[in-house]
Amino acid sequence: MLSSSDFAAASWELMVRVDHPNAEQQRDVTLRVSGDLHVGGVMLKLVEEINIAQDWSDFALWWEQKHCWLLKTHWTLDKCGVQADARLLFTPQHKTLRLRLPNLKTVRLRVSFSAVVFRAVSDICRALNIRRSEELSLLKPSCDYFKKKKKKDKSNKEPVIEDILNLESSPTSLGSPGSAGLYSKTMTPTYDPINGTPVSSTMTWFGDSSLAGQSCSLLASSQPPQPPEALADMFQPRSLVEKAKLNAGWLDSSRSLKEQGIQEDEQLLLRFKYYSFFDLNPKYDAVRINQLYEQARWAILLEEIDCTEEEMLIFAALQYHISKLSLSTESQNFTNESEVDEVEAALSNLEVTLEGGKSDSTLEDITDIPKLADNLKLFRPKKLILKAFKQYWFVFKDTSIAYFKNKELEQGEPVEKLNLRGCEVVPDVNVAGRKFGIKLLIPIADGMNEVYLRCDHENQYARWMAACILASKGKTMADSSYQPEVLNILSFLRMKNRNSSSDVASSLESMDMNPECFVSPRCAKKHKSKQLAARVLEAHQNVAQMSLIEAKLRFIQAWQSLPEFGLTYYLVRFKGFKKDDILGVSYNRLIRIDAATGIPITTWRFTNMKQWNVNWEIRQVAIEFDQNVSIAFTCLSADCKVVHECIGGYIFLSTRSKDQNETLDEDLFHKLTGGQD
């Protein structure tokens, strides 16, 4: 029998592969170790055995069989479970990665392959001057994403694919994870707030950013429009199921890149994953606003989100305007303090925040809550009646709409009272046809109650639409965001007004644009080029006076006003059902959608959610809501961790407030998204 001291003294051979950048230096090293030797001691022995003078501080041990890093250097081999059969790799933690940004530019930079993706993205965003890194993540593109591009002649696509901005000389891990994205609000911005370009080539407001001068300008400036042939050649999802497949590749934020099989110099997509844009500030967010604009632009052009032809023309006009200003040398050279103040004042109502900071409810408690009362028309498509819209007297108070046969009966019992808290509010507008409708999808026990309202003119529509939007979020018209919402809706309607004038005709003669570059291929096929150009120029008359940064924010705002904005789709099978459905995840709700028709069936609000978890054995997500409502589903288009993290991530983002000075509670994020009880 051996004594315990003999066990302690027992040693064995451990094989470690050295992953040296120089291929000639790569070799297997055999070390004699004991179970009580800590990981740091193994690394020290290894470096002594290699006997090459260099900085080894970035190297760490990777355990191939267990697919994990041994980063806790104070742990012993026994505690880690490492035995003689373990295959270890001594490799750098930071490796080169190619990131394709929303504007289709590719940057090559060094990224931590050992940090969890949440922290790696934070470091990447700090290097690229993008604040609010928690809104972004890394997406591994599906085969379809590059499928069509490879079929074409290589020379057509080479500039797009091979134009790489090389930033790999600066590692992204300079600074503590907790401080990622911090900036001083009293610091003078190094961007021109009017056109979003760098004021000078000095280091930007992130002290440790690897971007400066021309590189910074490249990411903050919009790219020239793609030719129609290139646009038609890109992958366009044709159904909700295809849109759901696009979301299959989101990386797990709680695991490292290497743990998820990402290889050195692999290409990933850096994208805004969560459509809850907090504190967009033109002074500091030139890169962030531009990349957000580019992601919105491609979502419109590739029809990842649906819009009407009228809305497509607005987006085309804004793109044309932004493209003109980006190419113009004049817009790069004027900075005037008074003009900056005017732009900031004009943008005060354009700050793009869906659920901004925490609202002050004190004001609401001590003031009278306003109400709206007016004649509107109502129509219920589900009732088997042939009549069109019927007029009623409507009263909007708190978060409810009540309607009566006429104004004189207002003090009596209403025909019906609709509680809009948690409902879907969809615009049903055609400005040219003088149609101002509001579609309400109100959750009920067995699905959705569908109601259409029709307003007489723009002002009436803006007031009622803004009230409905706020009520759906549980807010009343006493909320400070009501008036800005009304103004935003009115400004968007004005952009849709078509101005036929002699200016358009003269502009058409001297036209320097290809209109097919600014609309989706399907829209371009419906019209002749000259006819399309005339309609784009008509729409451009309404946006021609905007500055570059204002036009980008207007584009983002118009994108946000689309009915399908912010919905991330997954193909799922609900427990107890035999057919597949689409689950739409938004910043404040879940929607069950019929996969064949695209019609919403049921909506569940996050505010009514009590708890959610994952059964990892059967890969099923279960969610409990108030009033004993519970659902469970398996995800068919992605791993269940992906959809679970999407839900938890939105709940995490809802905890942000401006008084936090941008510090993030990473532990809370992992608790909400990790899928553990």
Side-chain angles (χ1 to χ4, degrees), residues 210-274:
S210 55
L211 273 180
Q214 189 176 359
S215 299
C216 180
S217 178
L218 203 62
L219 299 187
S221 303
S222 57
Q223 298 300 300
Q226 293 283 321
E229 308 80 51
L231 193 60
D233 197 36
M234 294 181 178
F235 177 72
Q236 298 168 58
R238 294 299 184 194
S239 66
L240 283 177
V241 174
E242 286 190 7
K243 290 178 184 179
K245 288 178 182 175
L246 293 175
N247 296 305
W250 288 110
L251 297 188
D252 186 340
S253 297
S254 303
R255 295 163 62 215
S256 69
L257 290 170
K258 192 163 179 64
E259 285 172 316
Q260 298 181 69
I262 304 301
Q263 303 298 316
E264 185 170 5
D265 208 39
E266 188 169 338
Q267 178 156 307
L268 298 177
L269 310 180
L270 180 69
R271 292 288 183 270
F272 288 87
K273 178 180 181 180
Y274 299 105

Side-chain angles (χ1 to χ4, degrees), residues 320 324 503-516 518 528-538:
Y320 174 57
K324 278 182 66 177
D503 292 344
V504 173
S506 60
S507 300
L508 206 54
E509 294 302 318
S510 59
M511 183 182 63
D512 58 347
M513 73 155 166
N514 186 346
E516 288 86 358
F518 303 109
K528 292 180 180 177
S529 183
K530 205 163 186 178
Q531 179 191 24
L532 192 59
R535 296 187 67 184
V536 171
L537 287 172
E538 279 177 18

Side-chain angles (χ1 to χ4, degrees), residues 79 134 167 180 205 253 274 281 318 345 353 355-356 358 361 374-375 389 393 408-409 475 486 523 538 563 610 674:
K79 187 170 183 179
E134 67 275 12
L167 302 175
W205 48 259
S253 297
Y274 299 105
N281 190 325
L318 285 166
T353 50
E355 283 292 315
K358 308 236 175 184
S361 57
D374 215 337
N375 283 309
F389 285 84
W393 178 256
E408 289 70 31
L409 298 174
K475 298 177 181 178
V486 173
C523 181
E538 279 177 18
K610 290 166 68 177

Side-chain angles (χ1 to χ4, degrees), residues 354-425:
L354 294 178
E355 283 292 315
K358 308 236 175 184
S359 59
D360 186 359
S361 57
T362 313
L363 180 65
E364 207 166 305
D365 293 337
I366 60 172
T367 57
D368 290 329
I369 296 175
K371 76 171 187 177
L372 288 174
D374 215 337
N375 283 309
L376 301 177
K377 297 184 180 71
L378 178 137
F379 173 57
R380 287 180 173 284
K382 288 189 177 179
K383 288 189 176 180
L384 298 174
I385 53 175
L386 299 175
K387 291 181 181 177
F389 285 84
K390 188 175 180 182
Q391 185 164 297
Y392 293 94
W393 178 256
F394 282 80
V395 177
F396 198 130
K397 190 162 186 182
D398 295 326
T399 58
S400 299
I401 290 179
Y403 62 93
F404 308 82
K405 285 190 174 179
N406 53 53
K407 184 177 180 179
E408 289 70 31
L409 298 174
E410 182 181 334
Q411 302 307 319
E413 280 294 313
V415 176
E416 188 179 14
K417 189 173 183 180
L418 307 171
N419 185 358
L420 302 193
R421 190 185 290 263
C423 77
E424 303 296 313
V425 183

Side-chain angles (χ1 to χ4, degrees), residues 287-334:
V287 175
R288 182 178 169 214
I289 288 171
N290 183 61
Q291 296 299 328
L292 196 50
Y293 157 71
E294 290 284 351
Q295 184 160 327
R297 182 166 81 94
W298 287 110
I300 299 292
L301 292 177
L302 299 179
E303 297 185 353
E304 291 173 16
I305 184 170
D306 292 334
C307 65
T308 65
E309 192 171 294
E310 191 175 47
E311 289 161 342
M312 182 69 77
L313 291 171
I314 293 295
F315 288 121
L318 285 166
Q319 286 178 73
Y320 174 57
H321 185 62
I322 290 165
S323 177
K324 278 182 66 177
L325 289 183
S326 298
L327 292 171
S328 166
T329 52
E330 295 174 4
S331 69
Q332 310 294 328
N333 297 325
F334 66 92

